[in-house]
Amino acid sequence: MKKEDVLNVYGDDLYRIGISFTQNRSDAEDAVQETLYKYMTKAPAFTDDEHEKRWLIRVMVNECRNITRRRFRFIPLATIDIPSVSNESRHVMEILRTIPYKYREALLLHYSEGYRLNEIAEMLGISEAAVKMRVYRGRKAFISAYGKE
């Protein structure tokens, strides 16, 4: 794929991941911009489109982590900032905000983006067992928070 087409093909996915992880429109846009910059300057030779997409998502997740670590303030996410989100999805997003970041990260990559546990482990640089535990604990926390409402 041409480098010029990456934003058109993966831009929405990257932005959605950024919003989900950073909980802030400006930070999500910054993460997308940094991811695209790294793509233009440091991308390896990709074997296929799926390899390229996984590389972009891994870089995006790492950028979101960096932004979250650097953030000294918390700006709550207004779910109206996310394009085309239903009321039910807004409710789910609000509940996800209450879950610790490392569990939310695993849940979003697994359920929202559809990646298998071994792929998530590769993206996050952790073991598959750790991913399983994060998904399990995240799901447990989500069910607990959902049940309270």
Side-chain angles (χ1 to χ4, degrees), residues 33-149:
Q33 185 175 15
E34 284 297 316
T35 299
L36 292 175
Y37 174 75
K38 287 183 178 177
Y39 177 82
M40 296 293 186
T41 59
K42 300 178 182 180
F46 299 110
T47 56
D48 58 16
D49 288 344
E50 185 59 30
H51 179 220
E52 182 177 41
K53 183 178 180 181
R54 281 194 309 192
W55 186 89
L56 283 165
I57 289 176
R58 181 176 185 162
V59 172
M60 182 67 181
V61 168
N62 289 338
E63 285 303 319
C64 291
R65 279 182 178 170
N66 292 340
I67 287 171
T68 303
R69 281 187 205 128
R70 287 190 300 247
R71 188 184 311 148
F72 295 119
R73 60 188 161 52
F74 176 77
I75 301 172
L77 171 69
T79 53
I80 57 172
D81 289 347
I82 303 173
S84 67
V85 174
S86 68
N87 286 335
E88 182 178 338
S89 295
R90 283 191 180 109
H91 181 66
V92 168
M93 295 282 294
E94 292 296 325
I95 292 171
L96 280 172
R97 281 183 38 203
T98 65
I99 296 173
Y101 181 81
K102 67 182 182 179
Y103 303 138
R104 182 174 65 232
E105 175 181 59
L107 286 175
L108 289 169
L109 287 173
H110 185 63
Y111 291 110
S112 179
E113 297 302 318
Y115 284 99
R116 294 186 311 256
L117 299 177
N118 61 339
E119 294 171 329
I120 297 170
E122 182 184 321
M123 284 183 211
L124 301 180
I126 58 177
S127 70
E128 189 173 340
V131 173
K132 285 181 185 177
M133 187 55 69
R134 288 182 184 188
V135 169
Y136 170 76
R137 289 180 179 163
R139 197 170 39 229
K140 193 173 170 183
F142 181 85
I143 290 169
S144 174
Y146 191 79
K148 289 180 182 178
E149 293 186 15

Side-chain angles (χ1 to χ4, degrees), residues 22-39:
T22 65
Q23 305 289 311
N24 181 298
R25 180 189 291 184
S26 300
D27 290 343
E29 291 169 353
D30 289 346
V32 169
Q33 185 175 15
E34 284 297 316
T35 299
L36 292 175
Y37 174 75
K38 287 183 178 177
Y39 177 82

